[in-house]
Amino acid sequence: MKVTRSNIVTAIAALILVAALPSAIRDTFETGRLYLFSRRFLDELPQRFTGPGRFRFILQPSIAILIGLRGGLADARAGRPAYLYGLLMGGENRRDLIRSGWVAVRNLVGMGIVLDAVARALTNRVAAAFGRGRGA
């Protein structure tokens, strides 16, 4: 496997998920429910838009848009059709398009995980500095 930016981002995201797993499992056993599907998650959701972590709701979609634009421009420069059109109409290249789509989605999800971890670490550090406990 070659060392590429994509593989590095994927490896870092996987490490972040592996590091978070013990805490998530412990919380699930202690509370008897998955946080994502809990009432607590829904109650805390509006606070995420106004709390110290709100910047990531601007940063992550912006990065996703930039990654999408970069991929679209690369396709246009290479003379390839738009991704969805090529996937639906270009039968001979479908396998390559699915593979490139998987890589693009992998990069996007990996960057989202890394950015979320960085934002969470920064908000926790700022909140601790001001004596507010854990950040959003």
Side-chain angles (χ1 to χ4, degrees):
M1 180 181 273
K2 288 175 41 174
V3 177
T4 63
R5 188 176 341 150
S6 176
N7 290 338
I8 292 169
V9 169
T10 301
I12 292 170
L15 288 172
I16 290 169
L17 291 175
V18 167
L21 196 58
S23 175
I25 291 171
R26 185 179 60 245
D27 183 63
T28 300
F29 279 123
E30 287 175 0
T31 62
R33 67 188 182 293
L34 292 173
Y35 175 71
L36 184 61
F37 303 109
S38 69
R39 180 74 183 157
R40 182 174 155 212
F41 173 79
L42 295 174
D43 291 341
E44 291 176 356
L45 196 58
Q47 296 169 1
R48 294 173 191 261
F49 296 112
T50 59
R54 68 182 174 266
F55 180 64
R56 68 181 172 195
F57 288 104
I58 296 169
L59 184 63
Q60 286 176 331
S62 299
I63 296 295
I65 290 168
L66 290 174
I67 290 172
L69 284 172
R70 193 178 102 199
L73 289 173
D75 285 345
R77 281 189 207 108
R80 293 186 294 260
Y83 179 78
L84 191 57
Y85 178 81
L87 191 64
L88 295 175
M89 302 300 178
E92 66 278 353
N93 297 335
R94 193 167 287 139
R95 180 170 287 196
D96 291 334
L97 285 171
I98 290 172
R99 186 169 306 163
S100 71
W102 168 251
V103 170
V105 169
R106 182 185 74 176
N107 291 341
L108 186 61
V109 170
M111 284 301 294
I113 291 169
V114 171
L115 287 173
D116 185 62
V118 169
R120 186 169 291 270
L122 290 173
T123 55
N124 285 344
R125 187 167 290 187
V126 168
F130 288 104
R132 295 184 184 145
R134 298 191 71 194

